[in-house]
Amino acid sequence: MAQQEDVFKKIVSHAKEYGFVFQSSEIYDGLAAVYDYGQNGVELKNNIKRYWWDAMTLLHENIVGIDSAIFMHPTIWKASGHVDAFNDPLIDNRDSKKRYRADVLIEEAIAKIDDKINKEVAKARKRFGEAFDEAMFCETNPRVQEHIKHREALHQRFSDAMNANDLDELKQIIIDEEIVCPISGTRNWTDVRQFNLMFKTEMGSTADGAMTVYLRPETAQGIFVNYLNVQKTGRMRLPFGIAQIGKAFRNEIVARQFIFRMREFEQMEMQFFVRPGEELKWFEFWKQTRLRWHKALGLGDDKYRYHDHEKLAHYANAATDIEFEMPFGFKEVEGIHSRTNFDLSQHEKFSGKKIQYFDPELNESYVPYVIETSIGVDRMFLSVLCSSYEEQQLEGGESRVVLHLPDALAPVKCAVLPLVRKDGLPEKAREIVNDLKFDFATHYDEKDSIGKRYRRQDAIGTPYCITVDHQTLEDNTVTLRHRDSMEQERVAIADLHKIIHGRVSLNSLLRKLS
Ligand code: ATP
């Protein structure tokens, strides 16, 4: 685990060193949990968004996109339940003045008990060797039994308190479990309070006339409130979907793990409107479809798993997360939810406008049901970055850091490198750039030795390096170096376009999906 943490630290500094992600406002010592994307990061991020957008809107003729405003009428957040219930329970330690999520403190205490059980099991396995029967050991070992009982009781008490929204009980659990502040080491806790995660601001020119508005905590509501507009103007028939990519804001209490949990982030959401009663069939469809989208990137099939929700939000009748194995464990990257007709009905109620679909086949009107797929762009970015990063030992004691990015997502597709800075090679290289640049993000680099230039491109994940040498002037061929294998082949300049296009275009990735 410690080793994984080291790798993660290296990935974070690599992301900065090579222009992928910077701390926001860094020269002012930064702003917590807010990040900026640099010259390479923005390209990678845009490519991820394009992959998602095209997979939704080009491959499904019944899905269209919108781009709704971040500011919305405040009543929308009343209707959606965010004003009343988009809360996390927070607690402060009076000595360290540090703030924590009470639920996370308790979850960590449960994880510690799990660790104790795992340690006992590992010890016993070592002692008994081949003959070890884990189930039998856990059932009979008194120490392990005690831990298991403790864990189960604590888990039950915790989920009861969460379900009942019982803040006093959450605090009592923290006291009874003797949970201490990791900074001060004391148990000097305040009461637990609910903390609403929405950012508020004022709209209007004078203080008196100003109206409180929120920065949207999800993009989905912009889709729900435009359901009628799109359905009517697009003459859409059920089932159909609306997709949107945009910023969302959450005043997260504890934000850590780099761009995994941010206060300003970006979501890619799609709401799929279906006939009531058909939602579970479509839930299954989107569950499979979304996982296929992830796996087509080739980051490793074993890095994904579903996490089905046991406890469902009151309006949901099925929910699952697609989790990805980050260096800090399997974590949610995308949520797929069957949200019934909750949101549209709420907007019907709060706006007083009828939001219904007339189904010509059934000859009746109803409020459609919704399946939602919701993925964080930044978490997706992090999963791509983490799984692509490799420190490689090469022959002859050399090493390199390489990002094995999926070719279609790489910020730079090819780099054109004159072997030396004379004899007309730079001019020839420029000619090639001037031809390729219309279709591919192409770099030109003539500084430093060719080896150093290759390393620089490896570090940002450029799939192809094209080297122009003296032979090029004679026969119009170049060497094409492949990032992952480092193999080089001699190819005609005239063939470059076709070869590169076949490997790096989004088109070939999208074709895997249909
Ligand atoms: P978590 O349990 O991790 O807080 P969530 O269940 O609240 O996430 P959703 O409301 O389902 O998340 O949001 C959908 C997606 O938006 C998540 O799967 C995640 O990829 C992304 N997301 C949510 N909150 C953040 C955040 N603070 N920073 C970055 N991405 C986020």
Side-chain angles (χ1 to χ4, degrees), residues 340-360:
T340 69
N341 60 0
F342 173 77
D343 302 87
L344 290 181
S345 304
Q346 285 291 99
H347 289 306
E348 221 181 21
K349 198 162 103 195
F350 278 75
S351 69
K353 307 272 176 352
K354 206 166 158 203
I355 306 182
Q356 303 227 333
Y357 175 76
F358 176 73
D359 191 326

Side-chain angles (χ1 to χ4, degrees), residues 132-275:
F132 183 61
D133 178 341
E134 182 174 331
M136 171 85 99
F137 174 75
C138 289
E139 265 169 41
T140 50
N141 181 286
R143 237 191 337 252
V144 172
Q145 271 298 309
E146 203 178 298
H147 289 319
I148 291 175
K149 273 199 200 115
H150 178 190
R151 188 201 187 283
E152 277 169 10
L154 175 56
H155 187 263
Q156 190 59 49
R157 209 178 149 195
F158 172 53
S159 61
D160 289 349
M162 288 298 281
N163 286 335
N165 231 334
D166 188 340
L167 303 183
D168 293 339
E169 172 69 352
L170 285 179
K171 178 168 183 189
Q172 200 53 49
I173 295 175
I174 288 174
I175 292 169
D176 294 348
E177 291 298 317
E178 303 183 346
I179 294 174
V180 297
C181 164
I183 307 283
S184 65
T186 70
R187 289 182 229 151
N188 192 2
W189 296 109
T190 63
D191 285 343
V192 178
R193 281 171 299 145
Q194 285 292 22
F195 178 77
N196 193 285
L197 299 184
M198 282 199 294
F199 284 99
K200 274 187 206 164
T201 187
E202 310 246 287
M203 185 178 266
S205 52
T206 61
D208 304 342
M211 160 164 82
T212 298
V213 291
Y214 301 94
L215 297 187
R216 66 180 178 202
E218 61 174 32
T219 57
Q221 298 304 323
I223 294 178
F224 290 125
V225 298
N226 276 298
Y227 163 80
L228 280 181
N229 286 334
V230 175
Q231 194 270 319
K232 294 221 151 58
T233 58
R235 305 165 61 84
M236 308 300 285
R237 284 183 158 219
L238 249 53
F240 77 92
I242 305 179
Q244 163 156 247
I245 299 177
K247 287 274 175 129
F249 304 82
R250 294 182 189 179
N251 199 0
E252 301 280 0
I253 296 171
V254 187
R256 359 182 163 95
Q257 283 151 339
F258 193 38
I259 57 172
F260 182 79
R261 191 174 297 286
M262 303 155 90
R263 297 204 164 100
E264 173 179 341
F265 58 101
E266 212 164 348
Q267 288 185 315
M268 308 191 276
E269 296 198 292
M270 194 278 298
Q271 317 294 135
F272 199 70
F273 300 94
V274 304
R275 200 182 263 177

Side-chain angles (χ1 to χ4, degrees), residues 293-309:
W293 181 89
H294 284 276
K295 286 188 173 173
L297 287 170
L299 303 178
D301 286 3
D302 54 341
K303 288 192 171 290
Y304 299 92
R305 69 178 191 201
Y306 290 120
H307 170 237
D308 294 325
H309 290 210

Side-chain angles (χ1 to χ4, degrees), residues 23-32:
Q23 171 76 65
S24 155
S25 323
E26 194 184 337
I27 59 169
Y28 289 92
D29 296 334
L31 186 64

